[in-house]
Amino acid sequence: MKTEIVSFFATDGMVDNGYIQSTDTPIDDNKKVIISVHGMTSSCFKGRDKTIGKILLENDIDYFTFNNRGSEILRFSLKSDGKEVQSVLAGTAVENPEDGLYDIEGAIEEVVKRGYKNIYLLGHSLGSTKVLYTMTRFREEESKYLEYIKGIALLSLVDIPNFMKENLKEKYEKKIEQAEKLVESGKETTFMPEDSFIFPITAKAFLYYAKNYQRIDFARYHDKEYDFKELNMVNVPLFMRWGTDRELIIEKPEEITKLLNNKIVNPKKDINFIEGANHSYNGMEDIVGEQLINFIER
């Protein structure tokens, strides 16, 4: 086994960094690799990545995990326009999750360049949202990347807009008004009050999740009439999991899994929850890894 530090360009010029772990098996037409996309404020150095990566490598599957533009709360990153490299604000507090498309495209390009032809996309939390949004865009645009993607795995896909509404309750509309005033006055990177979100967040990013979220609004578990059209666009094997302890969902995980198993028509779906797991799967990373292996081998 070897571990290699990797720096690559997202397809909009953002510089992303991570590492790829690989076995000694040569990369050929049968070799598999998982690309991991983390969620809010996270990074590629979580214990979950370490444990899942170890289990995958033991089963001859390589693992590529990287810090996307939403890593940490607020930081500076590098971005190239093709002529010069500039420093730009990045992190959960300022990112537009739709831009995760560019990070994932860049990661796919990186592994394809290395010879991989069998790619599985693994997302966690907002990373799952980014993966599903990316797959939706790929299908709409008949992307050249689709031929390489053999399956997707979504851990703790959350309905962020509804979660915000339920938690803010009567303060929801007032927070939106406050964010709008800040953006209109040119203060879009001003932080919202501490009680606005689960993490520190700027006015512009808050407004996206609270009001302008339509393009990522596909985890509508509260809407029993919704047909989950984006999930039903996925025609490769689909793996989904939630925990039952302090998960960032309003509905119970058993209700969500029952709903989706009825709504999702994918014949190769594997939708369930892990009893006792929390949102980060702390202490149960090995169970996630083993279930992923079973999913991929099937």
Side-chain angles (χ1 to χ4, degrees):
M1 184 196 82
K2 66 177 181 179
T3 301
E4 179 184 350
I5 303 298
V6 178
S7 180
F8 65 95
F9 284 106
T11 52
D12 68 342
M14 186 75 81
V15 177
D16 290 331
N17 302 284
Y19 61 92
I20 185 166
Q21 293 179 295
S22 56
T23 66
D24 296 327
T25 306
I27 300 174
D28 57 19
D29 289 351
N30 297 313
K31 186 68 170 179
K32 300 180 181 69
V33 64
I34 280 187
I35 296 176
S36 177
V37 184
H38 66 70
M40 289 181 171
T41 75
S42 194
S43 76
C44 62
F45 299 107
K46 288 285 188 180
R48 182 178 58 251
D49 277 302
K50 180 180 179 181
T51 301
I52 290 176
K54 179 176 182 293
I55 292 172
L56 293 171
L57 290 165
E58 289 172 350
N59 289 270
D60 199 30
I61 298 173
D62 294 351
Y63 194 55
F64 182 28
T65 180
F66 66 97
N67 286 347
N68 61 58
R69 68 193 65 210
S71 65
E72 304 177 40
I73 292 175
L74 189 67
R75 62 187 172 88
F76 281 106
S77 186
L78 297 177
K79 188 174 184 180
S80 171
D81 62 3
K83 296 180 181 179
E84 60 180 354
V85 177
Q86 297 179 329
S87 183
V88 296
L89 277 178
T92 290
V94 296
E95 76 164 329
N96 181 331
E98 294 175 27
D99 293 339
L101 166 72
Y102 308 125
D103 295 320
I104 295 171
E105 283 182 332
I108 292 172
E109 286 187 351
E110 180 64 29
V111 298
V112 169
K113 182 175 64 178
R114 293 167 179 265
Y116 293 98
K117 296 180 180 179
N118 301 290
I119 299 171
Y120 291 78
L121 297 179
L122 167 65
H124 173 254
S125 196
L126 186 64
S128 290
T129 301
K130 293 177 180 180
V131 167
L132 186 51
Y133 174 74
T134 296
M135 289 296 294
T136 302
R137 286 284 301 275
F138 281 180
R139 295 288 299 176
E140 292 172 348
E141 300 169 6
E142 299 181 351
S143 170
K144 63 181 180 181
Y145 303 111
L146 279 172
E147 66 174 293
Y148 301 106
I149 299 172
K150 308 305 181 185
I152 70 170
L154 309 176
L155 302 177
S156 297
L157 176 68
V158 294
D159 183 354
I160 297 175
N162 192 54
F163 183 81
M164 290 175 66
K165 290 177 184 176
E166 291 295 325
N167 279 273
L168 288 172
K169 299 187 184 302
E170 69 278 358
K171 295 186 290 184
Y172 184 70
E173 295 297 334
K174 292 181 179 179
K175 294 292 185 184
I176 291 177
E177 290 178 12
Q178 183 178 5
E180 287 178 328
K181 289 178 181 178
L182 286 170
V183 171
E184 289 168 2
S185 62
K187 299 178 180 179
E188 61 183 31
T189 57
T190 297
F191 278 89
M192 293 289 289
E194 186 177 353
D195 63 344
S196 300
F197 198 58
I198 54 177
F199 303 116
I201 193 167
T202 61
K204 183 179 180 180
F206 175 88
L207 205 55
Y208 178 90
Y209 292 114
K211 187 177 180 180
N212 304 320
Y213 54 80
Q214 289 74 19
R215 288 173 65 84
I216 62 163
D217 189 24
F218 35 61
R220 304 182 208 174
Y221 312 128
H222 64 284
D223 183 357
K224 305 310 178 191
E225 302 302 317
Y226 189 61
D227 61 2
F228 295 93
K229 60 183 179 180
E230 294 86 1
L231 280 164
N232 272 314
M233 287 177 68
V234 177
N235 62 354
V236 294
L238 171 66
F239 177 95
M240 301 182 75
R241 289 293 186 275
W242 292 265
T244 61
D245 175 30
R246 291 173 291 159
E247 184 63 281
L248 299 181
I249 48 178
I250 303 301
E251 300 77 13
K252 294 180 179 179
E254 51 266 39
E255 294 173 351
I256 292 176
T257 54
K258 181 179 179 180
L259 174 70
L260 292 183
N261 274 307
N262 287 331
K263 295 272 189 175
I264 305 304
V265 298
N266 190 324
K268 295 183 179 179
K269 64 178 182 285
D270 182 350
I271 302 173
N272 213 327
F273 60 90
I274 298 176
E275 187 67 44
N278 61 25
H279 182 69
S280 296
Y281 301 89
N282 294 327
M284 295 196 173
E285 299 91 344
D286 56 336
I287 295 176
V288 176
E290 290 164 2
Q291 291 188 6
L292 276 172
I293 288 296
N294 292 334
F295 164 71
I296 293 171
E297 288 180 347
R298 287 200 302 273

